[in-house]
Amino acid sequence: MKLSVLLTSLLASAAAGAAVTPREEQDSPVSYAGFKVFRVATNGRPSRVEARLADSGLVYEQWNDDVATHIDVVVAPGNVAAFEALGSLSYRVMHEDLGASIAAESEGAHAFSLMKRQAGVSGEELHKRQIEDGSWFDSYHNYEDHIDYFRALHAAFPNNSEIISAGRSYQDRNIFGIHLWGADGPGKPAVLYHGTVHAREWIVAPVVEYITRQLVTGYNDGNEDVVSILDRYDFFIFPFVNPDGFVYSQTTNRLWRKNRQPAPTGTCFGRDINRNWVFGWDSNPRGASRNPCSETYQGEAASDAPENRGLDAYLRSLRDGPGVKLFIDWHSYGQYILYPFGYAETLYAPEQGKWTRTASFMSQYIRDSSSRRTTYTFGASGSTLYATTGAAPDHAYVIGGADFSFTIELSDTGDYGFVLPPERIRGVAEESWVGQQIVLALLDEEFFDGVGPAQLYQGQT
Ligand SMILES: *[C@@H]1O[C@H](CO)[C@@H](O)[C@H](O)[C@H]1NC(C)=O
Ligand SMILES: [Zn+2]
């Protein structure tokens, strides 16, 4: 199966010329010209709105699963008039023309790649400047440029970092990452970040990159807080754990979510890598889908996505080595800080108290640091948002032994959703760094002893 897909795609892309990388299936790019995105209020009764949309016979795509207050729907041009004529739905427009929003979103990435080629300088040289001036965060970027940016981060921190790999994707891309350490390292307990498991969540990569940059430059500059963090923990940062999906979201379909593995039967593609983890897999019918065409398709068996196998092996090797102190799976959108359990809505981990306090400090500090007063909602993921089976944070906690295990859903709360304008990148990145400084400062805290920093932080807000 894999070989024939590969051959077909090689032949097809040879015919199409150099515009498509040889590993991509020969799908023509999906156009969202004239598509509108609506936020439909559900007012706590989502099934009524869902039934209304279903009865109308309209074809639409839904962006969010947390439908208690609203459903965000993408409606094709031919259906817009019928949607607006439905009546009795309360809604507002998120994207007037999704195609135009997507085009505007990517302008900077294309301009950057072009400039890099024309300037004739090496990627590393250019990125070195960008690490210094921060201009990287003014636009989104192409996958190959992201790889160069990480090479440049490593080059800026040669004696305290290495480029690492968690195996290969279905289409044989390297799942690369960077490992950072401080004095007397490596070998300290691990902080493990996974980014971009869902391909269309483009804000994730620049946020993870910004945090990496702050760690590298902060350590180099002797920033006390950063030195203290990196002298206590090693960081293992994987910005693209679903590289095939991310590339596909750039070349072909901006709204692609899953990996690019073909279904066992039928014509649908993609497993949801974040429903494919071993712990809790297939344990709750509300937590994932068995339908290969679903956005939350869990796979035919636990860990049958190659990306998942590589990431799990890496997680287990950290567990059996220095141990995992903090795991974060980075997503968008909705502004949530979530922790186990996801697979059951009524099950609470013994660590829930300290996780709640930590998330509450993160949320307060992010809000107070932000000119937009960005507010994160926090809680156990199953009860706060919705059930998820085979999701990374449950697995990282139960199997990986992570002391703290979070999902962070970045901005926004639904003005733009997945297609967040580039002007918003820097603010989200800066706020996220504020949040990370809080959680990293609290990792070794004795909670609820009446004396530690957890008490002090509360006093300040
Ligand atoms: C890295 O270590 C080497 C060998 O000890 C040293 O010569 C070099 O200056 C160090 N580089 C940095 C950037 O600290
Ligand atoms: Zn996601």
Side-chain angles (χ1 to χ4, degrees), residues 235-248:
F235 283 71
F236 299 84
I237 298 170
F238 293 97
F240 297 97
V241 303
N242 176 15
D244 300 347
F246 182 70
V247 169
Y248 194 75

Side-chain angles (χ1 to χ4, degrees), residues 59-396:
V59 181
Y60 66 94
E61 193 196 337
Q62 185 170 325
W63 270 6
N64 62 320
D65 296 321
D66 52 326
V67 294
T69 58
H70 57 267
I71 302 177
D72 298 340
V73 296
V74 183
V75 180
N79 281 314
V80 166
F83 174 88
E84 288 169 345
L86 276 179
S88 84
L89 287 183
S90 161
Y91 64 85
R92 66 179 169 80
V93 177
M94 291 171 66
H95 290 274
E96 198 55 64
D97 179 345
L98 183 60
S101 298
I102 288 171
E105 181 193 37
S106 287
E107 265 169 23
H110 300 320
F112 179 82
S113 286
L114 191 67
M115 185 257 288
K116 196 160 134 182
R117 281 201 303 276
Q118 288 176 343
V121 290
S122 75
E124 263 182 34
E125 192 50 42
L126 198 60
H127 290 300
K128 184 161 166 269
R129 278 181 245 152
Q130 287 205 313
I131 290 169
E132 284 154 17
D133 68 16
S135 57
W136 176 251
F137 303 100
D138 293 336
S139 66
Y140 291 100
H141 293 285
N142 295 329
Y143 183 63
E144 300 300 325
D145 294 329
H146 283 290
I147 296 173
D148 282 347
Y149 190 76
F150 275 91
R151 288 199 184 110
L153 283 166
H154 169 55
F157 207 38
N159 295 347
N160 295 69
S161 73
E162 61 181 342
I163 297 293
I164 52 175
S165 171
R168 318 282 306 178
S169 68
Y170 182 80
Q171 292 174 328
D172 204 30
R173 288 189 176 85
N174 182 20
I175 302 174
F176 73 92
I178 191 166
H179 171 197
L180 314 173
W181 60 84
D184 311 317
K188 317 266 176 46
V191 171
L192 174 63
Y193 292 160
H194 286 177
T196 326
V197 63
H198 292 147
R200 62 193 175 187
E201 297 166 8
W202 281 13
I203 186 62
V204 167
V207 163
V208 169
E209 285 164 342
Y210 186 82
I211 293 165
T212 310
R213 166 191 183 258
Q214 295 306 97
L215 290 167
V216 166
T217 57
Y219 200 89
N220 281 341
D221 296 344
N223 177 301
E224 262 179 49
D225 294 337
V226 173
V227 170
S228 147
I229 289 167
L230 262 180
D231 284 349
R232 279 180 296 142
Y233 307 105
D234 283 24
F235 283 71
F236 299 84
I237 298 170
F238 293 97
F240 297 97
V241 303
N242 176 15
D244 300 347
F246 182 70
V247 169
Y248 194 75
S249 79
Q250 294 200 317
T251 58
T252 312
N253 184 350
R254 174 64 186 86
L255 297 183
W256 190 257
R257 168 184 164 105
K258 301 184 284 182
N259 77 356
R260 289 298 300 165
Q261 195 170 353
T265 55
T267 55
C268 288
F269 276 82
R271 282 157 170 71
D272 184 344
I273 301 169
N274 198 36
R275 299 293 186 279
N276 192 236
W277 292 85
V278 170
F279 178 78
W281 187 84
D282 196 36
S283 62
N284 176 344
R286 288 185 303 283
S289 175
R290 293 178 179 175
N291 172 2
C293 298
S294 162
E295 294 287 16
T296 56
Y297 174 46
Q298 62 186 7
E300 293 301 293
S303 209
D304 70 349
E307 295 86 357
N308 189 286
R309 278 199 296 279
L311 293 163
D312 196 12
Y314 208 98
L315 172 73
R316 289 171 196 250
S317 74
L318 290 177
R319 173 195 68 188
D320 298 339
V324 181
K325 191 71 192 174
L326 167 66
F327 169 76
I328 297 182
D329 206 17
W330 294 90
H331 293 253
S332 76
Y333 58 101
Q335 290 170 200
Y336 290 98
I337 302 166
L338 304 168
Y339 30 85
F341 287 101
Y343 80 104
E345 299 94 325
T346 55
L347 190 61
Y348 303 109
E351 291 87 348
Q352 165 132 344
K354 76 174 186 183
W355 293 340
T356 301
R357 176 150 299 184
T358 304
S360 132
F361 290 138
M362 289 168 72
S363 179
Q364 289 173 44
Y365 271 73
I366 289 170
R367 185 195 61 212
D368 291 347
S369 76
S370 142
S371 55
R372 314 181 72 90
R373 296 196 59 80
T374 304
T375 302
Y376 276 76
T377 303
F378 51 88
S381 69
S383 57
T384 305
L385 205 50
Y386 44 80
T388 51
T389 53
D394 283 5
H395 182 93

